[in-house]
């Protein structure tokens, strides 16, 4: 049941990305180009998404169980630390260079884009590097 | 700054955003999980990591979306802005950065802001700021 709900959520997310313009790197960079000919569209993507998700997260905070019977796993970290800041800054630089963030890059894989294939391969390599560097060390 | 009114797509962007928000709402209430794409993918890269099934199901849905879309309409335009080595550098930065930063546009931007997390607000301001600065440098200082 949990997997079925996740499948529908993934599908909905993908259609939302396509409809919104997020899957077009040129449109994304057009939004990030504040000093140029600025396309404000993507601010509306964020406004629409938060408008729709905010009531659900407010409700989720008060619930222990999800509809599928599982626990509600909201993030527990609250510290604003160097990894959060430096990681987010690095992500922003990569996003600005290619116009892809993780969701749109993945969706673009099945749009037949070789550009997305190269980007996603590099992105997964980056995530794997992080997993290697942060893996728990076995006691000596 | 000037506004690119010819490129501005308020209604489709707002509607697409609402669908993304409904997806995040469905996942947190239905499956009890946060729709953070970098976290969903990153979790699969840890051997023996938790929740493999729903992660794969969510990514399956994401990848099927364009195929389903194409049954009813032409896929929307998608023009790349970078190629070759730049694409690899950008991908590595996004991969490493989203994992150290514990999230991306979806996890921090959509879900984090929707649950009013100060940590996600800081992360979102940081990656948006870095994105604005990067495009400024590339387009207006380097003229690429």
């Amino acid at each position: 049941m949990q997997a079925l709900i996740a499948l529908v959520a993934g599908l909905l997310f993908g259609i939302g990305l396509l409809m919104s313009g997020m899957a077009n790197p040129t449109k994304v960079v057009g939004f990030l180009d504040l000093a140029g000919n600025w396309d404000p569209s993507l601010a509306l993507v964020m406004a629409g998404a938060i408008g729709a998700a905010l009531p659900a997260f407010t409700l989720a905070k008060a619930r222990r169980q999800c509809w599928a019977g599982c626990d509600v796993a909201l993030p527990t970290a609250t510290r604003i630390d160097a990894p959060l800041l430096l990681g987010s800054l690095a992500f922003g630089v990569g996003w600005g260079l290619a116009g892809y963030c993780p969701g749109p890059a993945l969706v673009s894989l099945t749009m037949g884009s070789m550009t997305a294939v190269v980007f996603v391969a590099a992105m997964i390599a980056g995530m794997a590097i992080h997993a290697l560097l942060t893996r728990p060390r076995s006691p000596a | 700054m000037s506004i690119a009114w010819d490129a501005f797509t308020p209604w489709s962007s707002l509607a697409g955003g609402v669908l993304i928000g409904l997806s995040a709402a469905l996942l947190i209430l239905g499956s009890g999980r946060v729709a953070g794409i970098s976290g969903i993918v990153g979790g699969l890269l840890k051997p023996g990591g938790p929740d493999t099934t729903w992660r794969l199901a969510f990514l399956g849905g994401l990848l099927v979306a364009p195929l389903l879309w194409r049954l009813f309409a032409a896929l929307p335009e998608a023009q790349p802005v970078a190629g070759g080595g730049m694409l690899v550098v950008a991908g590595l930065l996004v991969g490493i950065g989203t994992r150290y930063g514990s999230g991306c546009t979806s996890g921090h931007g959509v879900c984090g802001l929707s649950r009013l997390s100060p940590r996600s607000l800081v992360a979102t301001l940081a990656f948006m700021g870095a994105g604005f600065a990067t495009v400024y440098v590339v387009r207006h200082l380097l003229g690429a």
Side-chain angles (χ1 to χ4, degrees):
Chain A
M1 188 61 186
Q2 195 191 18
L4 185 68
I5 291 172
L7 177 76
V8 175
L11 193 62
L12 204 58
F13 202 104
I15 291 171
L17 287 174
L18 288 168
M19 189 179 289
S20 64
M22 288 293 295
N24 182 358
T26 297
K27 191 161 182 70
V28 172
V29 172
F31 169 72
L32 292 176
D33 190 8
L34 276 182
N37 203 20
W38 187 52
D39 175 2
S41 307
L42 299 195
L44 291 166
V45 182
M46 198 54 112
I50 293 173
L54 199 139
F57 278 96
T58 308
L59 194 62
K61 280 187 214 173
R63 289 177 65 100
R64 293 234 177 105
Q65 272 213 331
C66 73
W67 299 338
C70 45
D71 56 313
V72 172
L74 286 166
T76 51
T78 51
R79 274 189 64 187
I80 294 165
D81 51 13
L84 179 83
L85 266 175
L86 296 175
S88 297
L89 288 173
F91 161 43
V93 172
W95 189 35
L97 287 176
Y100 279 129
C101 51
L106 288 168
V107 160
S108 303
L109 285 180
T110 43
M111 293 175 75
S113 160
M114 262 321 282
T115 310
V117 174
V118 174
F119 180 90
V120 168
M123 178 178 90
I124 289 177
M127 291 177 168
I129 290 170
H130 169 270
L132 278 178
L133 293 177
T134 58
R135 75 185 155 186
R137 291 198 181 88
S138 51
Chain B
M1 186 216 276
S2 61
I3 305 271
W5 292 113
D6 53 328
F8 189 42
T9 53
W11 298 114
S12 57
S13 287
L14 189 65
V18 168
L19 289 184
I20 292 168
L22 288 177
S23 161
L26 176 64
L27 197 69
I28 193 65
L29 290 175
S31 289
R33 297 297 180 268
V34 171
I37 310 289
S38 56
I40 291 174
V41 178
L44 290 171
L45 298 175
K46 287 186 181 160
D51 297 355
T52 306
T53 312
W54 77 263
R55 288 175 197 272
L56 288 175
F58 183 92
L59 292 176
L62 199 60
L63 292 177
V64 164
L67 307 176
L68 193 71
W69 180 290
R70 216 163 46 182
L71 292 180
F72 300 98
L75 284 171
E77 204 178 1
Q79 304 153 285
V81 291
M86 185 64 91
L87 212 49
V88 174
V89 170
L92 283 169
L93 283 170
V94 169
I96 296 176
T98 51
R99 294 305 287 147
Y100 272 107
S102 316
C104 57
T105 2
S106 50
H108 280 310
V110 176
C111 298
L113 295 185
S114 291
R115 61 188 179 86
L116 310 177
S117 152
R119 186 173 141 87
S120 288
L121 177 63
V122 170
T124 304
L125 291 175
F127 68 67
M128 297 275 297
F132 288 134
T134 301
V135 172
Y136 181 77
V137 170
V138 169
R139 283 211 172 159
H140 302 287
L141 297 184
L142 303 176

